[in-house]
Amino acid sequence: MGNFRIFAYIYRYIMRGRFLVLSKYLIIILIFLFAASDGMAKEKKQVDKKRQPVALALPMPDEMVPIGVKQQDLSKQDEVKILSEADFLNREGIDVSHYQGMIDWKEVATLGKVGYVYIKATEGSGLQDDMYAYNLREARKNGLLSGSYHFFRSNSTVSEQLANMTSVVKKSEQDLIPIIDVERINGSRSVFITRLHQFMQAVEKHYGCKPILYTFVNFYNKYLQGEGFDKYPLMIAFYRDDQPLLNDEHPYIIWQYTSHGEVPGIDGNVDQSRIMEGHTINDIRF
């Protein structure tokens, strides 16, 4: 029974009594208020019915698109992998020279979160890095896979540079295939291209493997693409958040992504690099 009917009944009963006129008006006002509240309650119920939550057709977890995977790549979701800690460490590396001073290789190996290191050995026809022997010995002793690199200068002859490199970089002491660092043209472009080809071939013959060619993305695009160096594995330096893209879209194995890395055990900045997806540390093992 509604509130209105109840108070109508009470009103008729009271009207038969001997109450003052003022009391009658007060009762009328009360009845009106309760009647109004009853109507508002009914209206609220109708509104609440309209506001009932609607079931949403949300995708199940196996239908959701992983971050970084485009919609058209859904058929390849099984290829999206989470790297284990060991795999992550093996992909992260550094390269060092005498510029880093005396390195605490034990701290690098335990806290540095790197799995491999490239160490400068030689440059041109006569320069030998005075920290090379220490860096190579201590890095390997502390469990880091280690390799060596030579800084190429086209104003030195191929034979002179090869003699310099091979006198320092011994096969028996290498965990990783050697790197040839190419950043400058010393003299004419034609001499540079010819000597670089000859030097890469000589290094391959001596060490029994194709050396990695290291350079900057702009240097490759301007001087090396289309010159026959795509038969060598590449390490590309590009210090931005986005991965580098070569003009000829040639793939590369390693991306050096910063020259201002901070690694425990090393004072100051250090170059940091990463082995690209689709490759593993085994692709650069000596």
Side-chain angles (χ1 to χ4, degrees), residues 110-169:
T110 54
L111 301 176
K113 296 184 179 180
V114 297
Y116 66 91
V117 56
Y118 271 101
I119 303 165
K120 184 175 182 179
T122 51
E123 179 176 336
S125 60
L127 190 150
Q128 299 177 357
D129 194 289
D130 56 11
M131 293 299 294
Y132 173 75
Y134 166 80
N135 284 334
L136 182 66
R137 181 184 68 251
E138 294 301 311
R140 298 186 76 203
K141 185 172 74 174
N142 284 282
L144 291 171
L145 295 175
S146 304
S148 308
Y149 74 90
H150 170 85
F151 192 98
F152 177 79
R153 289 189 175 276
S154 60
N155 56 354
S156 298
T157 67
V158 171
S159 60
E160 289 174 336
Q161 293 194 74
L162 184 65
N164 185 28
M165 179 179 179
T166 56
S167 68
V168 176
V169 181

Side-chain angles (χ1 to χ4, degrees), residues 183-200:
E183 302 179 26
R184 303 172 187 169
I185 292 181
N186 307 109
S188 69
R189 177 172 179 172
S190 60
V191 170
F192 162 75
I193 295 297
T194 299
R195 288 189 172 180
L196 180 56
H197 268 298
Q198 293 173 347
F199 186 69
M200 297 290 286

Side-chain angles (χ1 to χ4, degrees), residues 151 180-184 213-224 234-239 244 246 256 258-259 271:
F151 192 98
I180 308 305
D181 185 339
V182 182
E183 302 179 26
R184 303 172 187 169
L213 178 59
Y214 165 93
T215 192
F216 288 84
V217 62
N218 290 335
F219 192 93
Y220 178 90
N221 288 335
K222 186 174 182 180
Y223 298 111
L224 299 180
L234 298 178
M235 178 177 180
I236 298 298
F238 188 65
Y239 306 145
L246 303 178
Q256 186 184 87
T258 183
S259 61
D271 297 336

